[in-house]
């Protein structure tokens, strides 16, 4: 690294080739580009992030890594294609989500920017740099990876051009991950079906038109609109048509129209140790942590590439040794907890363990069920880049109290002040009037719909406060059969399928709504940047109370007070 006239020349491990120079935009805080950057304007919109309000265009973005949503790769793609992205990206260490978005831009659209990882020491030195120059950086392309005859045939185009393009993407990411070979996978879940902009639609339709066809059972994540009802819901043609077209392109390639961000709720779930490729951050974390299946945190677009080839890098959480905890997190004693504990705790543990797999101690006595673990995992995946967690006495690989006793782990001891601080962070709006209650991020399960119906029974919704629940088609069908949908409809709740709150826009969110109440730690974090509204966070019961009274009085739960 050298400096002349305030311009720093840097070298490092090249992830994407190229040359660039520009003003430095530095942060030592990881960023989720989905919910963190506006793909149209290039503004950082994560209102919890130190760079909030900054613009990316033409600058060299220096950040340690990504976090949160797998859809960040889609946002990177759109930023590059519309000319609002950074001139280059400098990472502390190699990272998949950001890099994959740039690789897709290069492989499919012939547009690119350099991406380079420089290591901890060099990265820290960029804090005071004014300009960065990257000259003639050349990336490796995975030539050292052992390929089977079948892999070679796919790469040579014998299964069609779509599969060949997909294999090139798989090999480039395998090289980034340090894999020396590929493995077969049993199933896929595609997050790239979200509409991030015209680039993502063009990508999906190009693979379809090149004859792309999935070779393993493949489910689809929630898309950007209720695929069957977006017109009746008043969604604009400008969003509804392309969003539906993205979904249709993936279905045409053989994916199932499940349209849920909680594929682990489907009847056909992965088994323990099953090798899978799932994208969508909460789904990845749940699959690894709660089901004990094996997947990396796959970026959008790499998910479909692997589904088209059936082959994935042998790296990360596919390997037993990569699933071990790296930090111990202890939770203080708590009494009479309610359901708001789990998203709060997931959010907080993600902030203190931003890139390390945690071993959580001190919560097994609260007997978290699958809904609690869903809420925990979604919030954790929002603030941490780690692909999984372990909870002693709860999750399958930590069932025994002595499961990881031999590991000498650094310990982070949480206290009540930490929990209260996290509660304040999720409650960005002052206590008072609420104009919308948002539930189902991730998608509500049938058991959550039943609990909600019981809370709403005999009550009347405030006419000025819509209560909207997003859920998958299959779980809603179960709730209909149980009579819970009828109870919720009588209360005045609206149920929306196929999409989820990270994609929901007006008019489902009322134009005049200023404060949104939610029980989701994930949405409480992303909501301000995605919607421009402020958020209140609380238990499911508190959300129902807000829908009835029209306000959240801001009372702390007894276990937290």
């Amino acid at each position: 690294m050298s400096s002349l006239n305030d311009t720093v020349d840097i070298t490092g491990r090249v992830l994407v080739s190229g040359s660039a120079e520009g003003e430095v935009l530095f942060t030592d805080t990881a960023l989720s580009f989905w919910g963190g950057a506006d793909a149209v304007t290039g503004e950082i919109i994560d209102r919890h992030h130190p760079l909030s309000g900054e613009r990316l265009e033409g600058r060299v973005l220096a950040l340690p890594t990504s976090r949160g949503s797998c859809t960040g790769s889609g946002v990177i793609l759109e930023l590059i294609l519309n000319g609002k992205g950074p001139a280059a990206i400098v990472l502390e260490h190699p990272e998949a989500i950001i890099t994959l978005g740039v690789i897709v831009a290069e492989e499919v659209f012939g547009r690119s920017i350099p991406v380079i990882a420089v290591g901890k020491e060099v990265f820290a030195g960029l804090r005071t740099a004014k300009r960065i120059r990257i000259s003639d950086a050349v990336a490796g392309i995975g030539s050292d990876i052992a390929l089977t005859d079948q892999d070679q045939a796919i790469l040579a185009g014998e299964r069609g051009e779509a599969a060949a393009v997909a294999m090139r993407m798989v090999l480039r990411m395998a090289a980034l991950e340090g894999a020396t070979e590929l493995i077969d996978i049993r199933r896929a879940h595609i997050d790239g079906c979200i509409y991030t902009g015209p680039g993502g639609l063009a990508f999906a339709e190009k693979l379809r038109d090149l004859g792309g066809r999935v070779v393993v059972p493949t489910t689809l994540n929630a898309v950007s609109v209720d695929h069957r009802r977006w017109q009746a819901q008043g969604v604009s043609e400008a969003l509804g048509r392309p969003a539906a077209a993205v979904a249709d392109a993936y279905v045409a390639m053989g994916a199932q129209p499940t349209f849920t961000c909680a594929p682990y709720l489907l009847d056909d779930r992965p088994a323990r140790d099953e090798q899978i490729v799932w994208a969508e951050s909460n789904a990845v974390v749940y699959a690894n942590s709660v089901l004990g299946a094996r997947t990396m945190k796959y970026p959008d677009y790499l998910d479909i590439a692997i589904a088209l080839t059936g082959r994935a890098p042998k790296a990360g959480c596919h390997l037993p040794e990569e699933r071990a905890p790296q930090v111990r997190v202890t939770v203080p004693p708590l009494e009479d907890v309610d359901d708001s504990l789990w998203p709060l705790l997931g959010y907080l543990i993600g902030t203190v363990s931003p890139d390390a797999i945690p071993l959580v101690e001190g919560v097994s006595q609260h007997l978290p069920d699958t809904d609690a673990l869903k809420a925990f995992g979604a919030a954790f995946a929002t603030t941490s880049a780690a692909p999984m967690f372990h909870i002693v006495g709860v999750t399958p690989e930590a069932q025994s109290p002595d499961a990881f006793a031999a590991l000498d782990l650094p310990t982070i001891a949480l206290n009540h002040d930490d929990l209260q601080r996290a509660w304040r962070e999720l409650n960005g709006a002052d206590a008072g009037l609420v104009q919308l209650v948002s539930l189902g991020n991730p998608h509500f399960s049938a058991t959550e719909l039943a609990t909600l119906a019981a809370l709403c029974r005999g009550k009347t919704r405030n006419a000025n406060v819509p209560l909207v629940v997003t859920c998958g088609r299959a779980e809603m069908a179960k709730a209909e059969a149980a009579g819970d949908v009828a109870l919720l409809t009588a209360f005045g709740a609206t149920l929306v399928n196929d999409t989820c709150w990270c994609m929901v826009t007006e008019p489902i969110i009322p134009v005049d709504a200023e404060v949104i109440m939610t029980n989701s730690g994930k949405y409480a974090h992303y909501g301000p940047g995605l919607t421009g509204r402020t958020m209140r966070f609380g238990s499911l019961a508190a959300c129902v109370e807000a829908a009835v009274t029209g306000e959240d009085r801001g009372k702390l739960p007894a276990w937290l007070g």
Side-chain angles (χ1 to χ4, degrees), residues 159 188 190 212-218 250 253-256 304 307-309:
R159 285 230 326 255
I190 307 300
R213 190 78 183 173
V214 301
V215 295
V216 294
T218 300
Y250 283 99
M253 287 188 276
Q256 304 167 40
I304 185 61
L308 292 174
T309 62

Side-chain angles (χ1 to χ4, degrees), residues 441-507:
N441 188 356
H443 276 168
F444 253 30
S445 67
T447 53
E448 286 175 299
L449 289 168
T451 301
L452 176 63
L455 288 169
C456 293
R457 187 189 298 271
K459 298 176 182 176
T460 302
R461 179 182 63 85
N462 187 301
N464 297 316
V465 186
L467 185 151
V468 182
V469 188
T470 60
C471 58
R473 298 178 182 184
E475 293 301 290
M476 182 168 166
K478 294 176 185 176
E480 285 178 322
D484 295 320
V485 170
L487 282 170
L488 291 169
T489 302
F491 174 77
T494 299
L495 276 68
V496 175
N497 298 144
D498 301 348
T499 190
C500 194
W501 285 101
C502 284
M503 288 83 75
V504 168
T505 59
E506 299 172 359

Side-chain angles (χ1 to χ4, degrees), residues 179-215:
T180 58
E181 60 182 307
L182 306 179
I183 59 170
D184 291 330
I185 58 100
R186 297 279 304 276
R187 69 180 76 209
H189 180 71
I190 307 300
D191 190 47
C193 54
I194 293 170
Y195 180 68
T196 56
L201 173 58
F203 170 79
E205 291 186 332
K206 183 165 186 175
L207 289 180
R208 178 201 64 193
D209 294 344
L210 289 173
R213 190 78 183 173
V214 301
V215 295

Side-chain angles (χ1 to χ4, degrees), residues 1 35 49 70-71 133 159 181 212 215 284 317 348 512 525 527:
M1 182 171 70
H49 198 276
C70 299
T71 308
R133 180 165 49 228
R159 285 230 326 255
E181 60 182 307
V215 295
V284 169
C317 282
L348 175 58
D512 59 355
H525 177 85

Side-chain angles (χ1 to χ4, degrees), residues 162-515:
V165 171
M167 181 58 85
R168 290 199 298 271
M169 291 168 53
V170 171
L171 290 176
R172 291 185 67 173
M173 294 306 291
L176 182 150
E177 297 288 352
T180 58
E181 60 182 307
L182 306 179
I183 59 170
D184 291 330
I185 58 100
R186 297 279 304 276
R187 69 180 76 209
H189 180 71
I190 307 300
D191 190 47
C193 54
I194 293 170
Y195 180 68
T196 56
L201 173 58
F203 170 79
E205 291 186 332
K206 183 165 186 175
L207 289 180
R208 178 201 64 193
D209 294 344
L210 289 173
R213 190 78 183 173
V214 301
V215 295
V216 294
T218 300
T219 52
L220 289 178
N221 198 59
V223 291
S224 297
V225 293
D226 187 324
H227 193 265
R228 300 174 294 186
R229 299 182 291 180
W230 63 267
Q231 291 168 308
Q233 292 165 350
V235 174
S236 70
E237 294 274 332
L239 171 61
R241 293 260 174 230
V246 172
D248 292 341
Y250 283 99
V251 172
M253 287 188 276
Q256 304 167 40
T258 47
F259 301 141
T260 179
C261 56
Y264 41 82
L265 296 177
L266 298 171
D267 290 338
D268 182 21
R269 289 181 288 275
R272 183 168 178 177
D273 297 328
E274 184 177 334
Q275 301 285 12
I276 66 175
V277 50
W278 275 15
E280 210 299 326
S281 58
N282 101 86
V284 169
V285 165
Y286 194 99
N288 277 324
S289 309
V290 182
L291 300 181
R294 297 187 178 185
T295 178
M296 289 199 288
K297 190 175 182 180
Y298 282 104
D300 287 14
Y301 308 143
L302 186 58
D303 48 11
I304 185 61
I306 296 175
L308 292 174
T309 62
R311 302 283 279 166
K314 187 177 181 180
C317 282
H318 289 293
L319 304 172
E321 61 270 23
E322 295 294 328
R323 301 172 66 85
Q326 298 155 309
V327 62
R328 189 184 313 274
V329 181
T330 62
V331 177
L334 302 168
E335 300 291 336
D336 299 323
V337 301
D338 63 18
D339 56 278
S340 64
L341 168 67
W342 303 107
L344 181 74
L345 201 56
Y347 170 87
L348 175 58
I349 291 176
T351 64
V352 300
S353 181
D355 55 10
I357 297 173
L359 178 66
V360 182
E361 297 181 346
V363 298
S364 60
Q365 68 274 23
H366 302 306
L367 303 177
D369 60 12
T370 55
D371 292 326
L373 293 171
K374 174 165 73 79
F376 177 98
F380 171 79
T382 299
T383 52
S384 178
M388 66 182 299
F389 59 85
H390 300 282
I391 300 179
V392 174
V394 175
T395 53
E397 292 166 58
Q399 282 286 338
S400 167
D402 301 323
F404 298 107
L407 297 180
D408 183 17
L409 300 175
T411 298
I412 299 171
L414 301 178
N415 57 41
H416 285 83
D417 288 343
D418 295 323
L419 293 165
Q420 290 181 355
R421 171 179 53 80
W423 186 274
R424 291 192 298 270
E425 289 176 6
L426 293 178
N427 279 279
D430 292 334
L433 295 179
V434 169
Q435 288 84 37
L436 171 67
V437 173
S438 151
L439 304 173
N441 188 356
H443 276 168
F444 253 30
S445 67
T447 53
E448 286 175 299
L449 289 168
T451 301
L452 176 63
L455 288 169
C456 293
R457 187 189 298 271
K459 298 176 182 176
T460 302
R461 179 182 63 85
N462 187 301
N464 297 316
V465 186
L467 185 151
V468 182
V469 188
T470 60
C471 58
R473 298 178 182 184
E475 293 301 290
M476 182 168 166
K478 294 176 185 176
E480 285 178 322
D484 295 320
V485 170
L487 282 170
L488 291 169
T489 302
F491 174 77
T494 299
L495 276 68
V496 175
N497 298 144
D498 301 348
T499 190
C500 194
W501 285 101
C502 284
M503 288 83 75
V504 168
T505 59
E506 299 172 359
I508 294 175
I509 298 176
V511 174
D512 59 355
E514 296 180 357
V515 178

